[in-house]
Amino acid sequence: MKPFTTLNSIVAPLDRVDVDTDQIIPAQFLKRVERTGFGQFLFHKWRFEEDGSTNLDFELNQPRYLGSSILVSGRNFGSGSSREHAPWALLDYGFRCVIAPSFADIFTNNCLQNGILLIQLNERTVRHIINNALNGKGYELTVNLQTQRVWDQDKKIEAEFDIDEFSKYKLVNGLDDIDLTLQYEDKILDFEKSKTQLH
Amino acid sequence: MPPKTMFEKIWNSHVVHEEVDQPSILYVDLHLIHEVTTPQAFDGLREAGRLVRRPDLTIATADHNTPTNIGRAFMPVTDPIARQQLEALSNNCQEFGINLYDMGSPKQGIVHIIGPEQGWTQPGKVIVCGDSHTSTHGAFGAFAFGIGTSEVEHVLATQTVRQNIPKTMEIRIDGALPFGVTAKDLILGIIGEIGVGGGQGHVIEYTGEAIQSMSMDGRMTVCNMTIEGGGRAGMVAPDETTFDYLRGRPQAPQGEEFEKAVEEWSALKTDEGSEFDNLVTIDATSIEPMISWGTNPSMVMPVTGLVPDPNLIDSKDNRKAAESALEYMDLEPGTSIQNIKLDRVFIGSCTNARLDDLRAAATIAKGHKVNDHVYAMVVPGSTAVKLQAESEGLDSIFKDAGFDWREAGCSMCLGMNPDVLSPGERCASTSNRNFEGRQGRGGRTHLVSPEMATAAAIAGQFVDIREWELS
């Protein structure tokens, strides 16, 4: 997993609430057995017309948002299905950070497993960021995970965000959970032994 | 000792390791797996040279991709990528020593239906699966929740899962559900009330008269859709209904062991005086048969209602979401929902394809014919449900009425197999999600109970099930 330290990028806005993982990646594309190659299917039903052509009305298809690594959207982002293909698709497309007022629980865990930073900011700040990204050309944000701050070029937006120490530690170091848990293998074994004695 | 909630008791008894400011390491009693969310996890194990720690606590089935045509076990799966995924599951289970209930097995079925029906799902267990509807198993007083593929790999390797302790919420349903109102209507009503993010970060325990008098199949429907309200897990305290359901199931404790288990299970219920972080109360008597009108499960209305007018919604975000939903659903504000013509009906999914659901649907269908303009399918939740339904003659009732009787699987709930809606088609569905394109690109989904779906198939439009005349 790639460590996350700082990020500076154009911001891509998705001005909707309750964006569910079926929209992030539809079920028909979950049949691959690899972790890679899902970016082409990201927001498929919104990005492409039925005949496969590009939907020019969809925000992310506008040239000014190309190459963006920061997505900003409305509350309850990532709701619904537990598919980890959703963060895989976001990551493969190029997003390393999503900003929203709130995120669904399973999606949050899945992003953390893939080095994607989710930044929760209040509704008002998120609204400002969305509007700036919609109205300006090349609106950029800088994120520093170490100091837990996010700001724009002219410092009109400058916000602190919360993240628990453990998640931060994992993201900054690009660490895998399994190795961390296996440090406690003795305790797992003890637990299993005590359970067998009980039953 | 201070009083504890059922959730706290289960959590505490499963903590392997905890440290300040870190997610706890919880032991997993039952890990259910299926073809879609596991291939990458097994690859991860192979790359790291790891084994499955407890294959004996891991159960596999094929459900999401499987075709549902009768006789499928003897025909090749036509979609090459789906076939590859099904083969990967089979190979992985063989390589790592996991029991797989594949197409053709009498124990095959939707993962959340076979767990309870075989008796693997039991009170007090921690149960996980790479599927958000794992919340279903909470109906037995288990702590059950969906995880992603990396977490699946973690559970395979360590038999534990890392979790931050969630908050708790009690949803108390006072009074009894009126005639014609089902568990599905109740949970749709609840989600309509709390919203799709209302349960975020919480484990929800459902209490109250309507829950106590509900069958296990009904409780599973309620817990199943907890995730649609954003809840981490749903739970119901185990009681006589739970024990009666489990007694004699193949994987449940047997004989004297069972009675000992009942004693332990009975102690799980939330202690009097325990505090939840949040309380929501619902008046069961006010719930009517429900229909979803929009593109998420909180966009619901009673069958007697009119399609809502977005202009009357205060919040700008919600108004925009409602406008976009009505456009996608091709609905006009102010229309009576009963005047909407349907093209398809889907009776199935982990929400509503258990025996109770099929029995209720058959009662409505008996002696009637599916409307000429509607194609209606019944997809049992498991092969065992299908076989039992057939032994009760339910399949004949459905077939005589013109329903397509299918093999078990997830089917058109998410349209990963060939069962999908065509663009613009409108479907009454007993499943759990009405997201855009969920049942097929451009498809329009209305979530309803099995009874309402059956009546809609016959009438060709929604009808108030309370006025249905049984023949």
Side-chain angles (χ1 to χ4, degrees):
Chain A
M1 211 164 74
K2 218 169 126 190
F4 193 115
T5 47
T6 57
L7 181 65
N8 171 268
S9 160
I10 295 168
V11 179
L14 193 57
D15 190 8
R16 310 173 192 222
V17 293
D18 302 321
V19 172
D20 59 77
T21 53
D22 269 81
Q23 307 315 315
I24 298 175
I25 183 164
Q28 77 218 65
F29 305 116
L30 310 185
K31 295 171 194 164
R32 297 164 63 88
V33 294
E34 304 88 17
R35 276 174 199 255
T36 51
F38 289 102
Q40 56 186 312
F41 310 123
L42 181 73
F43 300 120
H44 192 270
K45 281 174 287 201
W46 292 338
R47 251 167 86 200
F48 303 105
E49 303 284 359
E50 255 166 61
D51 62 6
S53 61
T54 304
N55 171 14
L56 297 173
D57 292 338
F58 182 58
E59 293 98 315
L60 299 192
N61 284 335
Q62 296 180 22
R64 58 182 170 150
Y65 302 127
L66 280 183
S68 163
S69 300
I70 301 177
L71 182 70
V72 57
S73 189
R75 59 154 203 262
N76 195 29
F77 188 87
S79 52
S81 159
S82 61
R83 58 191 69 167
E84 196 164 319
H85 311 68
W88 293 337
L90 286 164
L91 200 61
D92 193 44
Y93 184 88
F95 290 119
R96 294 272 345 250
C97 172
V98 187
I99 300 173
S102 60
F103 296 95
D105 294 333
I106 306 177
F107 178 77
T108 302
N109 287 345
N110 285 341
C111 283
L112 194 55
Q113 305 286 349
N114 290 280
I116 297 179
L117 172 65
L118 301 183
I119 298 181
Q120 200 173 338
L121 297 176
N122 65 44
E123 294 261 2
R124 223 174 121 239
T125 310
V126 171
R127 172 49 51 203
H128 274 305
I129 297 175
I130 291 179
N131 288 347
N132 290 345
L134 285 172
N135 300 331
K137 225 182 187 176
Y139 177 72
E140 287 180 20
L141 283 176
T142 304
V143 174
N144 185 326
L145 175 55
Q146 203 56 262
T147 58
Q148 297 176 214
R149 296 185 78 77
V150 54
W151 66 90
D152 62 8
Q153 298 100 312
D154 38 17
K155 300 264 169 114
K156 279 196 178 135
I157 300 262
E158 202 175 3
E160 256 180 63
F161 58 89
D162 283 334
I163 182 168
D164 67 273
E165 283 302 318
F166 186 71
S167 302
K168 184 170 161 179
Y169 171 72
K170 273 178 50 180
L171 284 168
V172 168
N173 296 291
L175 286 175
D176 170 324
D177 259 354
I178 299 179
D179 286 326
L180 292 172
T181 299
L182 285 177
Q183 295 170 3
Y184 302 104
E185 202 170 359
D186 290 354
K187 293 187 94 170
I188 299 174
L189 202 62
D190 288 347
F191 185 91
E192 284 172 333
K193 278 187 197 148
S194 69
K195 262 211 142 175
T196 333
Q197 279 159 8
L198 278 175
H199 293 279
Chain B
M1 257 199 322
K4 287 193 179 62
T5 61
M6 172 168 54
F7 163 73
E8 287 175 287
K9 293 180 195 180
I10 299 174
W11 176 277
N12 292 346
S13 66
H14 285 79
V15 172
V16 170
H17 177 75
E18 59 188 344
E19 236 170 274
V20 183
D21 292 334
Q22 280 197 25
S24 301
I25 301 178
L26 280 193
Y27 200 77
V28 171
D29 301 305
L30 176 64
H31 186 196
L32 300 160
I33 65 172
H34 62 85
E35 74 275 24
V36 177
T37 57
T38 56
Q40 296 87 349
F42 283 109
D43 280 348
L45 291 184
R46 266 188 294 269
E47 277 162 31
R50 293 177 176 133
L51 295 174
V52 174
R53 184 176 181 89
R54 295 295 300 268
D56 57 321
L57 302 180
T58 314
I59 304 293
T61 193
D63 56 2
H64 282 63
N65 270 336
T66 51
T68 58
N69 53 301
I70 299 288
R72 64 177 179 190
F74 310 103
M75 299 174 203
V77 174
T78 49
D79 177 345
I81 323 176
R83 192 169 62 232
Q84 191 193 4
Q85 209 169 46
L86 290 162
E87 282 168 4
L89 178 68
S90 168
N91 294 338
N92 286 329
C93 287
Q94 205 168 10
E95 181 182 341
F96 290 94
I98 295 165
N99 282 330
L100 166 66
Y101 301 98
D102 211 345
M103 279 191 290
S105 159
K107 291 183 185 171
Q108 178 270 344
I110 305 177
V111 67
H112 309 308
I113 298 209
I114 67 167
E117 84 187 358
Q118 296 300 326
W120 282 301
T121 302
Q122 292 166 20
K125 281 191 176 181
V126 169
I127 302 174
V128 297
C129 172
D131 189 285
S132 60
H133 291 111
T134 308
S135 56
T136 312
H137 307 265
F140 290 80
F143 176 41
F145 53 95
I147 55 177
T149 299
S150 296
E151 291 174 302
V152 167
E153 185 181 335
H154 187 281
V155 180
L156 289 171
T158 68
Q159 201 55 34
T160 65
V161 66
R162 280 184 174 261
Q163 286 289 302
N164 286 313
I165 190 159
K167 291 186 187 151
T168 55
M169 181 187 288
E170 178 184 8
I171 297 188
R172 196 176 66 217
I173 301 113
D174 294 320
L177 290 174
F179 167 77
V181 178
T182 67
K184 180 65 162 288
D185 302 306
L186 172 62
I187 189 63
L188 287 174
I190 290 172
I191 298 163
E193 186 78 26
I194 68 171
V196 283
Q200 234 164 51
H202 290 77
V203 167
I204 297 172
E205 182 177 341
Y206 298 96
T207 63
E209 185 188 338
I211 295 293
Q212 283 161 10
S213 57
M214 199 175 270
S215 71
M216 286 316 296
D217 283 5
R219 292 176 189 181
M220 281 188 259
T221 300
V222 171
C223 288
N224 171 278
M225 285 194 70
T226 300
I227 183 70
E228 311 314 334
R232 194 78 188 91
M235 299 176 101
V236 174
D239 60 10
E240 284 308 317
T241 308
T242 322
F243 309 145
D244 288 346
Y245 178 100
L246 284 171
R247 195 173 282 115
R249 301 260 163 192
Q251 303 297 329
Q254 305 291 324
E256 214 174 290
E257 287 295 310
F258 187 83
E259 298 317 317
K260 269 208 278 195
V262 165
E263 225 169 280
E264 276 178 40
W265 294 340
S266 303
L268 287 170
K269 64 174 181 285
T270 293
D271 298 331
E272 205 136 327
S274 308
E275 294 219 356
F276 290 84
D277 295 307
N278 275 299
L279 169 70
V280 173
T281 54
I282 302 277
D283 174 11
T285 62
S286 71
I287 307 273
E288 293 186 67
M290 301 296 281
I291 301 176
S292 71
W293 55 265
T295 51
N296 77 44
S298 72
M299 294 172 167
V300 290
M301 60 193 288
V303 63
T304 49
L306 306 178
V307 173
D309 184 351
N311 290 322
L312 303 177
I313 299 173
D314 281 342
S315 139
K316 200 176 153 202
D317 280 346
N318 292 348
R319 186 161 65 240
K320 201 176 146 201
E323 279 166 359
S324 141
L326 289 182
E327 190 189 333
Y328 181 84
M329 294 297 288
D330 191 27
L331 291 175
E332 288 295 325
T335 319
S336 162
I337 197 76
Q338 295 185 44
N339 289 340
I340 313 283
K341 296 265 181 283
L342 296 161
D343 307 299
R344 305 275 291 259
V345 168
F346 172 62
I347 298 174
S349 86
C350 58
T351 308
N352 275 132
R354 285 172 283 270
L355 260 182
D356 270 12
D357 302 313
L358 300 195
R359 285 177 183 147
T363 309
I364 304 295
K366 196 170 184 179
H368 289 283
K369 289 281 177 208
V370 169
N371 189 281
D372 285 345
H373 303 287
V374 173
Y375 166 64
M377 63 202 296
V378 183
V379 183
S382 70
T383 301
V385 167
K386 176 171 182 272
L387 295 174
Q388 177 63 28
E390 286 172 352
S391 78
E392 295 178 17
L394 305 184
D395 60 323
S396 304
I397 295 175
F398 287 121
K399 284 190 266 189
D400 290 348
F403 287 85
D404 193 0
W405 179 250
R406 315 280 294 185
E407 295 281 359
C410 300
S411 180
M412 210 166 68
C413 174
L414 82 168
M416 278 195 77
N417 75 346
D419 308 337
V420 289
L421 294 180
S422 301
E425 277 191 320
R426 190 180 292 285
C427 178
S429 177
T430 67
S431 55
N432 39 58
R433 288 186 177 138
N434 50 341
F435 297 150
E436 282 184 35
R438 169 81 177 180
Q439 298 192 290
R441 189 179 174 120
R444 299 179 176 125
T445 304
H446 294 277
L447 304 175
V448 287
S449 71
E451 289 89 332
M452 288 279 286
T454 311
I458 291 156
Q461 60 195 64
F462 289 116
V463 289
D464 189 339
I465 195 68
R466 293 168 295 190
E467 290 160 12
W468 191 258
E469 284 184 28
L470 298 178
S471 51

